[in-house]
Amino acid sequence: MGKRAGQPRRHSLSGCADSPDAEGAALPCDFKFGATYTKGDAGLGSVEGGADYLAVWLGTYSKKFGTGFNRYHHGHMLDRVKRFNATAVFYAYLIAMLARHTQGLHDCDVKGAHSLCVHGADFIRRKEALILDTYEHYANETAKRLGDDAQVIWLMEPDWHQYSAPTQRGGGLRQRTMVTLFGRMVARIKRHLPKAKISFDISPWVNDQEAWLRPFLERCEIDYMHTSG
């Protein structure tokens, strides 16, 4: 939804005809179909057949490029997006990927203490500059291939809420810290892709959704919401 002067930005999860906009007009339902890009041409047939988007995970590790932009993987995917006039969708799981490959941390659903649910917040405190630089790196490389007017969709940080958990060593990140960091990550993206669309991760296990979501929705540039996992 557009933002009126002096009013907080409105967000809608459905965008369907039973959810009127600020002026009371009905919005049409719109369903999009896409495919996840993997190595080689996997997913290509779907794009040729008329898929709307092609999705890829950021931060996947390679010996040559580390957790950075891989021109043989991410670059090849963006070539397909451009060729078939599809939309690029990024699973931006960058904090977890960086922590996994630089500190040996693993996802919270893997048994053991060396987990993102224990050491993730501390990793963010120590490596914020690396996180921000990595976001900018991917945005810059994407703009080189698609142009700075590309409306790439960024599905930001799956399981973002886990970094605020009391299980974190040294305490979870404060919400205002997370709001500020989220805004900085988005700013690094928009420095190179000003028309990028930002999606915020829904953590359905959070009991008080309004208290968790409202500060982000009011202070950050968020276009969509998503869940993943």
Side-chain angles (χ1 to χ4, degrees):
M1 303 294 180
K3 182 177 179 181
R4 292 180 174 182
Q7 294 185 355
R9 184 176 184 176
R10 293 187 62 198
H11 296 265
S12 173
L13 297 183
S14 66
C16 290
D18 60 350
S19 302
D21 64 13
E23 285 71 39
L27 299 172
C29 292
D30 195 9
F31 180 82
K32 301 294 185 183
F33 172 80
T36 299
Y37 178 82
T38 55
K39 291 181 179 179
D41 287 335
L44 177 57
S46 297
V47 175
E48 288 180 310
D52 298 289
Y53 68 85
L54 196 58
V56 72
W57 288 83
L58 304 187
T60 49
Y61 181 82
S62 68
K63 290 182 178 180
K64 186 170 185 177
F65 302 101
T67 53
F69 186 95
N70 183 334
R71 65 175 179 265
Y72 302 114
H73 182 57
H74 304 104
H76 192 252
M77 173 266 194
L78 293 176
D79 289 341
R80 298 304 188 197
V81 164
K82 190 172 183 178
R83 178 178 176 184
F84 297 109
N85 196 31
T87 296
V89 176
F90 289 159
Y91 284 102
Y93 199 39
L94 286 174
I95 293 174
M97 293 293 196
L98 288 169
R100 179 184 301 173
H101 294 294
T102 64
Q103 305 295 314
L105 302 185
H106 54 68
D107 290 345
C108 296
D109 57 356
V110 179
K111 292 183 179 180
H114 212 50
S115 162
L116 287 167
C117 280
V118 178
H119 300 280
D122 187 55
F123 175 80
I124 292 173
R125 293 184 187 102
R126 293 184 293 105
K127 299 294 184 178
E128 180 175 332
L130 173 63
I131 294 165
L132 295 176
D133 288 346
T134 304
Y135 266 97
E136 183 163 4
H137 166 65
Y138 272 99
N140 185 35
E141 292 298 325
T142 301
K144 289 179 182 178
R145 287 159 175 79
L146 298 184
D148 59 10
D149 61 343
Q151 295 188 36
V152 179
I153 299 174
W154 295 68
L155 307 180
M156 300 290 286
E157 295 301 333
D159 299 328
W160 178 235
H161 183 269
Q162 69 191 4
Y163 303 116
S164 68
T167 56
Q168 296 287 349
R169 187 180 70 174
L173 297 177
R174 294 183 178 183
Q175 189 173 31
R176 64 173 178 268
T177 300
M178 298 184 74
V179 170
T180 299
L181 176 58
F182 191 90
R184 289 173 178 166
M185 293 188 296
V186 171
R188 291 296 188 99
I189 293 170
K190 299 243 177 183
R191 183 178 293 177
H192 302 279
L193 295 166
K195 294 184 179 180
K197 301 298 183 182
I198 305 301
S199 185
F200 189 82
D201 180 70
I202 298 171
S203 298
W205 57 86
V206 178
N207 291 326
D208 192 342
Q209 287 285 336
E210 181 174 1
W212 166 244
L213 294 173
R214 183 174 293 278
F216 293 97
L217 296 178
E218 290 183 344
R219 292 183 53 193
C220 301
E221 295 184 69
I222 296 173
D223 302 284
Y224 306 114
M225 301 184 74
H226 68 276
T227 186
S228 55

